[in-house]
Amino acid sequence: MAQWLISAAAFIVAIGVLVSIHEYGHYWFARRLGVRVLRYSIGFGSKLLGWTSRKTGIEYQLAAIPLGGYVKMLDEREGPVAEADKPKAFNRVHPWRRIVIVAAGPGVNIVFAILAYWLVLMLGVSGIKPVLGTPATDSPAARAGIQAQDHVVALAGQPVDDWQDLRLALIDRGLDQRPVQMTVKGENGGQRQLTLDLTHAPSDPERLFGMLGLTLYQPPATPLIGQVQSGSPAAEAGLQRGDAVLSVAGQAIDSPQALVDAIRAHPGQRVPIRIRRDGQTQSVTPKLAQRSNDRDQPVGHLGAAITIDPAAWKDMQTVHRLGPVAAIPAAVHKTWELSVLSVRLIGRMIVGQISWHNVGGPIQIATYAGQSAQIGVVAFISFLAFISINLALINLLPIPVLDGGHLLYYAIEWIRGRPLSEAVQAAGQQAGMVALLMLMAVAFYNDILRLLG
């Protein structure tokens, strides 16, 4: 319950911040470009609280449904407008003004992401060193000559600071499906140039590392049981948070990955697990559940998170920190890099090369918000920056009910010298609403599947 409360609170804060700045972009430019603003709302539905400015007459409100917001502007299409006020109506101003007003929302989200990453880079980004484990036999990583404990220094000539950097770089390069040069430093300190074959790399990021045979090196350490899912095999067997797992089916366990591999190797079976709790050794015998992996093969499922003593990972931790000036171009580059990657992934998803199961809705966002908030301020700010980028990009899709659809209409009007007919615009709005509802349905469906394991 506490976890859900944290996730809910973090979600409300995240959505509140991002929606506020998005709508403020529309609001600020509308006022500067001569359009009268009637209402600035955070949330949809019934008003919870608000006030009206005596000076401007603008109504500011917080509404009941915290899944968005809007700026209501004077518009003849939405009601009668006094003759004296018509020059301030949104529909009366030149298309270029409307384009700027509409584009300002996503634009401010991008600016926010840059500022957020600038702050994060100055505070210091904690990460895990990009040290590789033993590659899977006959995998592209093994054929490239990667060895256990190779430290990745660069990919395609670009420096790699941590494991997350390596993941994002490989996902991006994997979409090109071409060999990529990798610079690694071995245990003896010497550097080697390797060629990693990405020719047959899958577009789906979830399958990429498994196909390449790449894993993160895990220093020898006894894995610990983290959060136990209610009703799971772990819960029914009596496993508790903090239990140290010593062996599974007689096989000694010396790392989290070894535990994962041992559990997955026994789908649907009763498996003896030896643990240490409060200094005492004991055994439990859960009957593992059965799930399917990304190749539709059956794998065992315990239903518990796996953690490790942080001290065991001390030498694997790294902190990347920059000064105020150096952090500016780095923040811009980070935002640009993630924006381009997100656009490429969205494009692959639209054409069916990436599974729609990757689409997440409010529940997944809330989960990630809660997890990042628990990690710390830097992680939560990074999460806000990433979501802000995606909020901007999704809003720029040429779907009529989104900002991108309005931009398309106004651009056509500017080129033609007159707007599209009301019938065409209405048809576009209806089609856009159907598309948006379908996307929301997919997102909620995926959220529910994740909740069900």
Side-chain angles (χ1 to χ4, degrees):
M1 181 62 71
Q3 179 65 42
W4 275 106
L5 289 175
I6 293 172
S7 295
F11 174 77
I12 292 173
V13 170
I15 294 300
V17 168
L18 298 179
V19 168
S20 295
I21 63 173
H22 179 93
E23 298 305 331
Y24 187 77
H26 298 314
Y27 165 90
W28 193 89
F29 275 91
R31 297 193 65 189
R32 296 307 179 278
L33 293 177
V35 175
R36 184 178 174 186
V37 175
L38 303 178
R39 183 183 301 127
Y40 176 93
S41 178
I42 304 304
F44 299 112
S46 303
K47 180 173 71 174
L48 296 179
L49 55 91
W51 73 95
T52 300
S53 170
R54 294 181 180 179
K55 182 179 179 180
T56 64
I58 299 174
E59 180 185 4
Y60 301 89
Q61 73 172 30
L62 183 67
I65 304 174
L67 294 178
Y70 63 92
V71 173
K72 181 177 176 61
M73 290 170 267
L74 190 67
D75 197 314
E76 291 178 290
R77 295 167 298 183
E78 298 182 7
V81 176
E83 193 66 33
D85 290 333
K86 286 183 178 180
K88 297 181 180 180
F90 181 75
N91 64 292
R92 286 290 186 107
V93 300
H94 194 280
W96 78 261
R97 293 177 182 259
R98 280 177 270 156
I99 288 173
V100 171
I101 292 169
V102 172
V108 169
N109 280 123
I110 295 297
V111 172
F112 172 82
I114 293 173
L115 292 174
Y117 280 128
W118 174 73
L119 179 59
V120 163
L121 288 166
M122 287 194 301
L123 293 174
V125 181
S126 298
I128 300 296
K129 294 177 182 178
V131 180
L132 303 174
T134 303
T137 304
D138 199 32
S139 64
R143 291 193 292 272
I146 290 173
Q147 301 173 8
Q149 300 189 51
D150 273 347
H151 186 137
V152 181
V153 177
L155 190 75
Q158 296 297 315
V160 174
D161 293 317
D162 56 31
W163 181 253
Q164 183 66 8
D165 265 3
L166 178 62
R167 284 184 59 84
L168 292 175
L170 276 174
I171 290 170
D172 185 41
R173 294 288 174 173
L175 294 175
D176 297 329
Q177 294 190 321
R178 291 198 300 265
V180 65
Q181 296 298 310
M182 177 184 285
T183 305
V184 300
K185 182 170 62 176
E187 283 189 90
N188 59 4
Q191 289 194 3
R192 312 191 314 276
Q193 296 290 330
L194 308 176
T195 300
L196 183 62
D197 186 7
L198 302 179
T199 304
H200 302 291
S203 298
D204 195 329
E206 291 188 354
R207 298 175 52 208
L208 177 61
F209 274 64
M211 177 268 176
L212 294 177
L214 291 173
T215 59
L216 174 66
Y217 169 72
Q218 297 186 7
T222 302
L224 307 176
I225 296 295
Q227 182 177 358
V228 177
Q229 296 176 5
S230 177
S232 66
E236 293 177 358
L239 285 171
Q240 301 176 11
R241 180 191 291 269
D243 287 346
V245 180
L246 306 178
S247 69
V248 174
Q251 174 187 345
I253 300 297
D254 63 357
S255 71
Q257 189 60 50
L259 175 55
V260 170
D261 292 342
I263 293 297
R264 291 191 169 200
H266 299 86
Q269 301 177 25
R270 269 193 192 281
V271 179
I273 299 178
R274 193 161 58 92
I275 63 171
R276 184 174 59 244
R277 180 187 299 166
D278 299 328
Q280 301 294 319
T281 300
Q282 55 184 284
S283 293
V284 296
T285 310
K287 182 177 181 180
L288 301 179
Q290 181 172 305
R291 298 284 188 270
S292 295
N293 62 13
D294 55 13
R295 296 189 181 95
D296 288 329
Q297 298 170 330
V299 294
H301 178 74
L302 182 61
I306 301 172
T307 64
I308 198 169
D309 183 354
W313 284 80
K314 186 176 181 179
D315 291 338
M316 287 286 289
Q317 295 174 351
T318 182
V319 177
H320 180 54
R321 183 179 288 111
L322 296 174
V325 176
I328 295 173
V332 173
H333 176 73
K334 180 75 171 177
T335 303
W336 171 257
E337 182 181 54
L338 288 175
S339 298
V340 171
L341 178 58
S342 295
V343 168
R344 298 185 73 188
L345 291 174
I346 290 171
R348 297 297 177 94
M349 195 175 296
I350 290 173
V351 299
Q353 293 181 355
I354 296 179
S355 171
W356 284 86
H357 288 298
N358 289 287
V359 176
I363 297 174
Q364 186 180 22
I365 294 174
T367 300
Y368 288 158
Q371 291 173 350
S372 63
Q374 287 183 294
I375 293 172
V377 174
V378 171
F380 188 63
I381 296 174
S382 296
F383 168 78
L384 289 179
F386 180 72
I387 295 298
S388 189
I389 291 171
N390 283 272
L391 178 62
L393 296 177
I394 290 173
N395 267 281
L396 288 173
L397 291 174
I399 299 175
V401 292
L402 300 176
D403 291 337
H406 294 301
L407 291 173
L408 179 62
Y409 280 168
Y410 304 147
I412 293 174
E413 179 182 345
W414 194 355
I415 294 170
R416 295 176 75 231
R418 64 183 187 277
L420 294 170
S421 68
E422 291 187 6
V424 170
Q425 292 190 48
Q429 293 284 347
Q430 292 174 355
M433 183 60 71
V434 170
L436 190 59
L437 289 174
M438 290 175 63
L439 181 61
M440 292 174 63
V442 170
F444 275 107
Y445 175 74
N446 289 341
D447 279 352
I448 293 171
L449 286 185
R450 292 185 185 96
L451 285 177
L452 296 176

